[in-house]
Amino acid sequence: MAELLRFATAGSVDDGKSTLIGRLLYDSKAIFEDQLEAVEATSRQRGDEYTDLALLTDGLRAEREQGITIDVAYRYFATPKRKFIIADTPGHIQYTRNMVTGCSTADLTLVLVDARHGLVEQSRRHAFLASLLRVPHLVLCVNKMDLVDYDQAVFDRICDEFRAFATKLDVTDLTFIPVSALKGDNVVNRSENMPWYEGSSLLHHLESVFIASDRNLIDARFPVQYVLRPMQTAHHDYRGYAGTVAGGVFKPGDDIVVLPSGFQSTIASIETADGPVTEAFPPMSVSIQLSDDLDVSRGDMICRPHNQPHVGQDVDAMVCWMNESASLQAGAKLGIKHTTRSARALVKDLQYRLDVNTLHRENEINALALNEIGRVTLRTTVPLFFDDYRRNRETGSFILIDEATNATVGAGMILGPAQP
């Protein structure tokens, strides 16, 4: 089965993100002829001298009319080596929340920079958000190299400047690729216009970047999503616990403990939709059957007796606020969804706001407005079973919900148990 790579694209307005994705889809033969014909017709109507491949991804009419990306556009394509899900995220500062949404599940972030303008505020902001969201791989694509005569000195200068900025970030894997999305240089095929560049094309890098070790395979975590009861299967004595493995490796015969009860047992069998398996690891969806008849329900977590997550009702977290109609203030009461567990949360304290442009902490704050990111302390009505976000993105993240409208109003990354 082909491996899946999720990647998000980010960059300033007019850096050519949508054109780059269009070029990827077009040159890798991932679009249909009628799609291409429609794009060519629209380009002619607009008076463009070239086929505007950005129209392949700018799906919203408002985006096409303004020539910008507003929402997160998801695109799927595949090559013989890998399957891909692309999240094309907006460049404007007022859509920071959409950028956070697109990067939260990404294995890799592609930050685009216009070769003529070099690093701008948006480039730094998006690189910072990618590192905050613990995206393991970062690729800086220096686009529009055709407009600077494919000059190596321009590329080297931008790379040096970005490396200096990246030393302040937590970036584990950084790659630089000079491209021209419009002309197709170094997107799918190596460019003859830049013989000085010795690296791989963008598609080759996306196909070959090693992501298997990005998942946490040490801490076994299985949030129970659903209990399969006896009457629903042919085996009347069957009782399985279904969910998605959030960390570690589970095998039949393993000793386990169920939180919050603390009851211990061993794994009798593990099954997928295709039948029994000898091991389960992220992000597999499985059903686990235990040797003992325990009281386990949705929201419980199965883990190892000697490797358990934090259990607590007080957490410190970074929150990106996403609500347009109201700001986040101390004392607010919200719904919280963490793995498969739902509860209510009280905002005990707003510690600081993070300026995503300068990385500066603003300590004297009384609220977080739309698209702002800050550190908060939460108190939940029931204990959560969590790891630090930097250790496990699945068990370290949560969403905040407005209970009146049921709208998602915040996304959070747990830093650890709240300090008393």
Side-chain angles (χ1 to χ4, degrees), residues 66-139:
Q66 295 179 55
I68 62 170
T69 302
I70 296 174
D71 202 357
V72 181
Y74 290 97
R75 287 291 175 272
Y76 173 88
F77 78 106
T79 67
K81 294 183 179 175
R82 224 171 222 176
K83 296 177 183 174
F84 300 94
I85 295 177
I86 314 170
D88 184 19
T89 65
H92 288 66
I93 185 168
Q94 68 260 40
Y95 303 119
T96 297
R97 57 185 170 160
N98 304 56
M99 165 77 189
V100 168
T101 304
C103 283
S104 61
T105 55
D107 303 301
L108 178 147
T109 298
L110 206 64
V111 177
L112 235 68
V113 172
D114 188 324
R116 297 168 302 171
H117 304 146
L119 286 191
V120 293
E121 198 177 80
Q122 290 284 66
S123 322
R124 293 184 174 88
R125 180 186 306 121
H126 289 153
F128 164 67
L129 288 171
S131 75
L132 182 72
L133 289 157
R134 310 293 303 168
V135 182
H137 308 278
L138 189 62
V139 176

Side-chain angles (χ1 to χ4, degrees), residues 51-72:
T51 301
D52 188 357
L53 293 171
L55 297 172
L56 287 168
T57 57
D58 282 345
L60 297 177
R61 189 170 172 185
E63 296 178 323
R64 293 190 176 195
E65 289 171 354
Q66 295 179 55
I68 62 170
T69 302
I70 296 174
D71 202 357
V72 181

